[in-house]
């Protein structure tokens, strides 16, 4: 008999408390049983230990739900993500645990200034006919040294402030270690290929194309925004702290935090080795077999893993130009490109303040340590 619960309200030295309940069991989830450990039991102990106080302006502590299931329309409300006090008496503490350390996350839903952020862990960002991932680049010479000690970016969707009245809703977010050299692998539909573009504050920093093999058509293929292109040169994509040593303050940083990646349909390309243009009509007519199309469908409405990024662990981030790097290319060029956009993803960048903060945040979620997002691109 007995259990231990670890409670976290941030990443500071005094933001963690371990509680022992000698007469309770986490495995008991029936409120009518004496050994049942409720969320209210946890709150009462935390209050008695002065880890948290009673609700007052600027300090209203609530528990974060680690898994959230969308409704039949696929929608999630704020009240689905933060546990209300009216249910704490009968809500099992077990359902709030995020890892093998029996850790439970609290957040101040009335914090003054920048609040905690919560979002759903994801392996990719999907919008329209495009899928985008963010990962550490690891195949160019020197990448290992540049990214030594860095974690894979934490990819989140539907990120909101834990303070309900805030008008904050980021559809796609990456939280990285500062100075990470990253890339954005892209998967998209194309007739005989795709054109991939990336934009920062109305400046196109990447504009490249990928073509399919001769005879292939109407399939989902891959490319990657793996460098920044300026003045005919290519550079590393580096994630920096936007507000450090600059005049930019966090509240006005949003426009600079966003990188937008989109694709266009490639309708023909010129084969320099063969000295001729490859068109979609020719590829369709000469195809030996039907091309299997990979569907970019939305994930089923299963429970989503919710991640908390504490206020004291992150800062606004931005994409910056790094060291010059050289990439090779084949003897071909794009020809006809469709005018419309197949899909577009805008990603907001944040950075961990220090490597120690990154470890504290990532380490609390076992499934995010070298997670599926780190291996996703290799599996496809």
């Amino acid at each position: 008999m007995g259990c231990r619960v670890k409670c976290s309200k941030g990443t500071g030295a005094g933001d963690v408390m371990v509680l022992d309940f000698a007469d309770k069991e986490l495995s008991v989830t029936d409120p009518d049983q004496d050994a049942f450990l409720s969320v209210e039991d946890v709150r009462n102990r935390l209050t008695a230990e002065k880890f948290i106080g009673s609700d007052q302006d600027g300090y209203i502590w609530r528990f974060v739900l680690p898994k959230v299931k969308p409704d039949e329309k696929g929608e999630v409300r704020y009240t689905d993500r933060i546990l209300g006090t009216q249910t704490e008496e009968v809500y099992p503490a077990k359902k709030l645990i995020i890892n093998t350390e029996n850790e439970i996350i609290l957040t101040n839903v009335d914090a003054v200034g920048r609040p905690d952020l919560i979002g759903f862990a994801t392996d990719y960002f999907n919008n329209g006919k495009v899928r985008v991932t963010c990962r550490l680049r690891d195949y160019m010479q020197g990448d290992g040294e540049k990214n030594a000690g860095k974690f894979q970016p934490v990819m989140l969707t539907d990120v909101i402030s834990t303070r309900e009245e805030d008008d904050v809703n980021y559809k796609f977010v990456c939280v990285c270690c500062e100075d990470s050299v990253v890339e954005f692998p892209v998967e998209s539909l194309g007739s005989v290929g795709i054109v991939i573009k990336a934009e920062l504050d109305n400046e196109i920093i990447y504009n490249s194309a990928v073509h399919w093999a001769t005879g292939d058509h109407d399939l989902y293929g891959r490319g990657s925004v793996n460098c920044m292109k300026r003045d005919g040169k290519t550079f590393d994509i580096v994630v920096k702290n936007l507000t450090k040593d600059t005049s930019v303050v966090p509240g006005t940083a949003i426009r600079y935090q966003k990188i937008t990646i989109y694709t266009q349909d490639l309708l023909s390309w010129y084969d320099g080795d063969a000295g001729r243009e490859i068109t979609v009509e020719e590829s369709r007519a000469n195809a030996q077999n039907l091309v299997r199309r990979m569907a970019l469908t939305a994930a089923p409405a299963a429970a989503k893993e919710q991640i908390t990024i504490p206020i004291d662990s992150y800062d606004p981030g931005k994409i910056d130009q790094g060291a010059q790097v050289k990439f090779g290319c084949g003897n071909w060029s794009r020809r006809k490109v469709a005018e419309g956009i197949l899909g577009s993803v805008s990603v907001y960048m944040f950075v961990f303040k220090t490597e120690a903060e990154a470890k504290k945040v990532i380490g609390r979620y076992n499934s995010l340590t070298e997670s599926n997002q780190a291996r996703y691109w290799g599996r496809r």
Side-chain angles (χ1 to χ4, degrees):
M1 177 70 72
C3 65
R4 172 170 289 187
V5 175
K6 178 181 178 181
C7 300
S8 300
K9 62 179 182 180
T11 58
D15 289 340
V16 175
M17 174 166 282
V18 177
L19 301 175
D20 288 309
F21 295 88
D23 58 343
K24 303 290 185 178
E25 282 290 341
L26 283 171
S27 59
V28 178
T29 56
D30 184 350
D32 293 328
Q33 300 296 314
D34 291 338
F36 171 71
L37 180 65
S38 70
V39 175
E40 185 180 69
D41 292 330
V42 176
R43 176 182 289 277
N44 289 340
R45 281 286 303 279
L46 292 174
T47 303
E49 299 286 347
K50 301 188 185 309
F51 186 72
I52 61 173
S54 301
D55 290 355
Q56 58 181 299
D57 288 348
Y59 294 94
I60 300 178
W61 294 100
R62 295 293 182 266
F63 293 91
V64 179
L65 290 161
K67 289 188 181 294
V68 180
K69 187 170 183 178
D71 62 19
E72 61 276 4
K73 296 181 180 180
E75 298 177 352
V76 176
R77 302 178 297 267
Y78 175 86
T79 52
D80 298 323
R81 307 176 71 170
I82 301 292
L83 185 66
T85 54
Q86 68 275 14
T87 62
E88 289 184 356
E89 182 181 3
V90 295
Y91 202 91
K94 179 181 180 179
K95 289 189 177 181
L96 296 185
I97 288 172
I98 65 171
N99 55 30
T100 57
E101 294 184 3
N102 291 342
E103 188 167 2
I104 292 175
I105 304 297
L106 297 98
T107 182
N108 181 2
V109 299
D110 198 36
V112 177
R114 284 185 298 144
D116 295 345
L117 299 178
I118 48 176
F120 298 115
T122 184
D123 289 340
Y124 55 84
F125 303 133
N126 190 55
N127 185 38
K129 297 177 180 178
V130 64
R131 174 181 288 168
V132 176
T133 310
C134 182
R135 65 186 297 271
L136 298 178
R137 202 184 64 198
D138 58 7
Y139 48 82
M140 295 296 292
Q141 185 177 2
D143 282 352
E145 291 78 10
K146 294 171 184 175
N147 284 327
K150 305 295 195 304
F151 290 92
Q152 289 292 340
V154 179
M155 297 173 57
L156 303 172
T157 63
D158 300 303
V159 175
I160 63 172
S161 160
T162 60
R163 186 170 49 204
E164 184 176 11
E165 62 268 24
D166 285 350
D167 186 18
V168 173
N169 191 336
Y170 307 106
K171 181 62 179 175
F172 305 122
V173 164
C174 277
V175 190
C176 308
C177 291
E178 189 177 13
D179 296 320
S180 294
V181 176
V182 300
E183 68 169 336
F184 296 89
V186 177
E187 192 172 6
S188 183
L189 172 71
S191 294
V192 292
I194 51 176
V195 174
I196 303 171
K197 295 181 180 179
E199 193 172 295
L200 287 176
D201 197 24
N202 296 320
E203 176 194 3
I204 295 178
I205 62 161
Y206 188 89
N207 183 350
S208 191
V210 178
H211 69 79
W212 312 153
T214 303
D216 284 347
H217 62 89
D218 301 325
L219 58 80
Y220 282 93
R222 307 173 190 164
S224 184
V225 180
N226 53 13
C227 63
M228 183 180 297
K229 300 184 178 183
R230 282 174 170 160
D231 301 323
K233 299 177 182 178
T234 54
F235 304 89
D236 289 337
I237 296 175
V238 180
V239 183
K240 304 291 289 186
N241 186 325
L242 175 56
T243 57
K244 184 185 294 183
D245 302 323
T246 69
S247 59
V248 179
V249 296
T252 60
I254 294 301
R255 62 173 288 192
Y256 303 105
Q257 289 182 250
K258 180 176 68 174
I259 179 172
T260 299
I261 298 169
Y262 56 96
T263 59
Q264 294 173 282
D265 193 9
L266 184 65
L267 303 177
S268 69
W269 56 280
Y270 182 78
D271 186 339
D273 294 325
R276 66 187 187 91
E277 184 175 9
I278 309 298
T279 66
V280 62
E281 293 79 13
E282 175 190 359
S283 296
R284 288 172 179 165
N286 296 334
Q288 298 299 312
N289 300 295
L290 292 175
V291 175
R292 182 181 179 185
R293 297 175 62 168
M294 297 181 288
L296 296 183
T297 56
K304 299 180 179 181
E305 182 183 15
Q306 187 161 233
I307 306 300
T308 304
I309 308 295
I311 179 176
D312 51 0
S313 68
Y314 71 90
D315 275 324
K318 67 170 181 175
I319 298 297
D320 209 352
Q321 178 178 305
Q324 189 171 349
V325 63
K326 291 185 178 181
F327 285 86
C329 58
N331 186 21
W332 73 282
S333 59
R334 73 186 81 174
R335 282 295 173 87
K336 189 176 180 181
V337 179
E339 291 185 3
I341 293 175
L342 294 167
S344 176
V345 167
S346 292
V347 184
Y348 289 87
M349 308 300 297
F350 292 86
V351 294
F352 291 113
K353 290 186 175 182
T354 64
E355 184 178 335
E357 299 303 318
K359 288 180 178 179
K360 289 176 183 177
V361 174
I362 294 178
R364 61 169 47 162
Y365 299 98
N366 291 347
S367 63
L368 282 185
T369 304
E370 291 300 324
S371 68
N372 287 339
Q373 40 191 293
R375 300 185 295 270
Y376 170 75
W377 195 246
R379 294 201 312 268
R380 300 299 294 176

